[in-house]
Amino acid sequence: MLLIKNGTIVTSTGTFRGNVYVENGRIHSVGETPDCPGSIETVDAAGKLILPGAIDGHTHIDMPLGKIHSSDSYLTGTRAALFGGTTTIVDYANQNKGESLLKTLDDWKKRAENEAVCDYGFHMTISDPEERFLDEIPALLDAGVSSLKCFFAYRGRLMISDDTFIRLMELSRKHGFLVNLHAENGDMVEDATRRLLSEGKTGPQFHPLAHPREAEVEAVGRAVRLAEKTGGNLNLVHITCEESVKLIAEGKKRGVSLFAETCPQYLVLTDAKYEIPGFEAAKWVLSPPLRKRHDQNALWEGLYDGTLDTVGTDHCPFFFNKQKTLGKEGFDQIPNGAPGIEDRLELLYHFGVGTGKISLSQWVDLCCTAPAKRYGLFPEKGDLVPGADADIVVFNPEKQHTISAGNRHMNVDYNAFEGISVTGRVEQVFLRGTPIIRNGNCSAEPGSGNYLLRQYKPETDK
Ligand code: URP
Ligand code: ZN
Ligand code: ZN
């Protein structure tokens, strides 16, 4: 039994002073404390915020990419997640061409099960949309995968045709699941990339020119229209541009079953990073790329007014020194992605709540409750209510610190937010009632994270 007392409880619907009482790994009561018989562990949260464990709906841990893998293992990646207050991730399992979706899920579960220290589920990335694989979707849903991902980008590798997208959207309506989309026009990206390289423009500085904003805006507009036409369930991930926010707002107004995510890197950093000379800019070679200040403002406004629903990290770390350097001769060979699984709650608190761009409750909704709903984990995850898993974060809203690779726990040799000073720090984390992060230490045993059976529940979106 556990009593976290005297804190400010923050949920997606309100903020109030009180206690959280936990029994058998679940929340027993919130607010008033019942009579607590027997031995009880007490945590004094005076002056602290108490919030639900955060949910990161967008991670790529130990992700194969050609001959390399993203650099976090399920142990190091999920441990870093816990240090950052994230108690559940939904990671991407990637289908190899010619391979069954169910086998892919099995393989990825095996890779995670002896290592993961936070709870986890998987989205399934479709790279081979043959009918025999799409026939597996009902069984995949039964196995707890309530969302697929597909790409309009990465021509020749992952890019799917409109035809296939329409088919997936129709299936999503029929069977009830979410289609996550990487919305960049792969032909536009490929065309710009070839042109830049042929002009000898090979450095990481040219990555954003190869991924022009028009490529995202075109893909977002097309996807929203196709979702509207088919009645499918669309989730646009890692949205970056002002025009995209507008298209999403218009689609939502028309009643399209549409959700959207952005990421801390697009809210906090700008394309000024690509002006850094030499190879340094490779640290921010991710797709879509970082954008302009006006895009940032539009994204924050979109989070505030509900156009954008969730903030995920798109955590996809590669070592700067031995992996990003694979693209020394050409930016198109730089492994795409950046680390961030540990930084999200604190960045959103500092740059969002701290500046008044979002409220405390919106912070919790964007990082905890809305992802739980969207990804079929609510109400067991993402909220502080009786009966929910006792995944709890104690957050110090006053603590100032500076983000640096040296004080983070991700297995990577740089931090995308290096040197940024923030106010607000994750201090204690509980997973299913067990204290896991305390005094800067993680006590979780490898493999103690649970695989979660997710279920698409459109009713929770209302
Ligand atoms: O550059 C990125 N975002 N890498 C991760 C894979 C993806 O497209 O989400
Ligand atoms: Zn993507
Ligand atoms: Zn991603």
Side-chain angles (χ1 to χ4, degrees), residues 58 60 92 149 238 314:
H58 193 156
H60 302 276
Y92 280 89
K149 183 182 185 187
H238 49 45
D314 199 4

Side-chain angles (χ1 to χ4, degrees), residues 157-358:
R157 203 155 57 83
L158 294 164
M159 181 172 135
I160 60 165
S161 63
D162 287 355
D163 199 35
T164 300
F165 182 68
I166 289 168
R167 177 94 180 96
L168 283 172
M169 292 306 288
E170 280 169 348
L171 288 171
S172 80
R173 192 196 57 207
K174 177 172 169 200
H175 296 295
F177 62 88
L178 200 58
V179 176
N180 298 333
L181 178 70
H182 180 127
E184 283 187 291
N185 180 312
D187 287 323
M188 286 168 86
V189 169
E190 204 54 29
D191 178 58
T193 303
R194 293 301 131 221
R195 201 161 18 81
L196 288 160
L197 292 175
S198 73
E199 291 165 3
K201 296 173 175 166
T202 56
Q205 293 73 16
F206 297 102
H207 170 74
L209 299 184
H211 290 256
R213 58 194 302 113
E214 293 80 5
E216 176 178 308
V217 176
E218 187 283 326
V220 166
R222 179 163 36 112
V224 172
R225 288 293 173 186
L226 293 176
E228 185 166 19
K229 188 87 187 103
T230 54
N233 308 305
L234 177 61
N235 184 35
L236 292 161
V237 297
H238 49 45
I239 285 300
T240 69
C241 292
E242 181 174 5
E243 301 91 309
S244 304
V245 177
K246 188 161 177 280
L247 287 167
I248 293 163
E250 288 166 359
K252 284 190 168 188
K253 245 186 230 142
R254 295 197 303 274
V256 183
S257 174
L258 173 60
F259 307 103
E261 168 210 75
T262 189
C263 312
Q265 52 273 31
Y266 304 119
L267 294 163
V268 171
L269 308 175
T270 68
D271 61 358
K273 291 290 184 199
Y274 302 118
E275 289 162 20
I276 300 173
F279 196 65
E280 182 84 2
K283 291 177 178 174
W284 297 277
V285 166
L286 40 94
S287 297
L290 304 175
R291 306 288 190 192
K292 306 273 178 213
R293 183 74 62 195
H294 68 88
D295 294 304
Q296 256 184 22
N297 294 338
L299 294 173
W300 281 112
E301 280 166 27
L303 292 175
Y304 179 77
D305 69 19
T307 302
L308 304 178
D309 302 274
T310 59
V311 177
T313 61
D314 199 4
H315 175 72
C316 192
F318 293 101
F319 280 100
F320 178 66
N321 279 313
K322 52 184 194 210
Q323 295 184 308
K324 288 281 186 182
T325 43
L326 291 169
K328 271 252 169 181
E329 305 305 319
F331 66 80
D332 64 325
Q333 300 302 311
I334 299 171
N336 277 212
I341 202 167
E342 199 169 350
D343 305 315
R344 178 180 58 141
L345 263 187
E346 292 173 356
L347 287 170
L348 266 281
Y349 182 81
H350 178 86
F351 289 98
V353 179
T355 59
K357 290 190 173 82
I358 54 172

Side-chain angles (χ1 to χ4, degrees), residues 10-257:
V10 188
T11 73
S12 63
T13 52
T15 301
F16 50 96
R17 290 290 306 277
N19 308 334
V20 178
Y21 178 55
V22 173
E23 248 182 30
N24 302 321
R26 290 181 191 271
I27 293 173
H28 176 280
S29 54
V30 179
E32 302 269 301
T33 311
D35 287 342
C36 303
S39 67
I40 181 160
E41 179 178 353
T42 304
V43 172
D44 185 5
K48 312 285 166 68
L49 308 179
I50 305 173
L51 46 135
I55 295 176
D56 190 343
H58 193 156
T59 67
H60 302 276
I61 293 185
D62 195 14
M63 181 193 79
L65 183 69
K67 292 195 172 118
I68 62 171
H69 282 226
S70 60
S71 58
D72 261 317
S73 67
Y74 281 95
L75 176 58
T76 62
T78 56
R79 194 168 51 201
L82 289 173
F83 274 109
T86 291
T87 48
T88 296
I89 61 167
V90 190
D91 196 53
Y92 280 89
N94 298 349
Q95 178 201 24
N96 289 323
K97 286 197 195 296
E99 205 156 272
S100 135
L101 300 180
L102 289 168
K103 179 181 181 312
T104 304
L105 176 64
D106 238 43
D107 289 350
W108 286 67
K109 279 169 73 175
K110 282 200 189 93
R111 299 167 69 210
E113 71 188 359
N114 295 323
E115 293 198 26
V117 289
C118 75
D119 289 351
Y120 59 96
F122 291 105
H123 309 280
M124 179 63 61
T125 301
I126 305 287
S127 61
D128 191 347
E130 265 187 53
E131 208 54 39
R132 64 184 165 124
F133 300 136
L134 300 186
D135 285 347
E136 293 183 289
I137 286 176
L140 202 63
L141 300 181
D142 288 344
V145 176
S146 63
S147 43
L148 308 184
K149 183 182 185 187
C150 56
F151 288 80
F152 279 177
Y154 301 126
R155 191 171 84 190
R157 203 155 57 83
L158 294 164
M159 181 172 135
I160 60 165
S161 63
D162 287 355
D163 199 35
T164 300
F165 182 68
I166 289 168
R167 177 94 180 96
L168 283 172
M169 292 306 288
E170 280 169 348
L171 288 171
S172 80
R173 192 196 57 207
K174 177 172 169 200
H175 296 295
F177 62 88
L178 200 58
V179 176
N180 298 333
L181 178 70
H182 180 127
E184 283 187 291
N185 180 312
D187 287 323
M188 286 168 86
V189 169
E190 204 54 29
D191 178 58
T193 303
R194 293 301 131 221
R195 201 161 18 81
L196 288 160
L197 292 175
S198 73
E199 291 165 3
K201 296 173 175 166
T202 56
Q205 293 73 16
F206 297 102
H207 170 74
L209 299 184
H211 290 256
R213 58 194 302 113
E214 293 80 5
E216 176 178 308
V217 176
E218 187 283 326
V220 166
R222 179 163 36 112
V224 172
R225 288 293 173 186
L226 293 176
E228 185 166 19
K229 188 87 187 103
T230 54
N233 308 305
L234 177 61
N235 184 35
L236 292 161
V237 297
H238 49 45
I239 285 300
T240 69
C241 292
E242 181 174 5
E243 301 91 309
S244 304
V245 177
K246 188 161 177 280
L247 287 167
I248 293 163
E250 288 166 359
K252 284 190 168 188
K253 245 186 230 142
R254 295 197 303 274
V256 183
S257 174

Side-chain angles (χ1 to χ4, degrees), residues 380-401:
E380 290 80 8
K381 302 287 189 190
D383 202 359
L384 295 177
V385 284
D389 284 358
D391 300 343
I392 302 168
V393 172
V394 177
F395 190 89
N396 183 339
E398 307 289 343
K399 180 80 182 169
Q400 294 182 355
H401 61 111

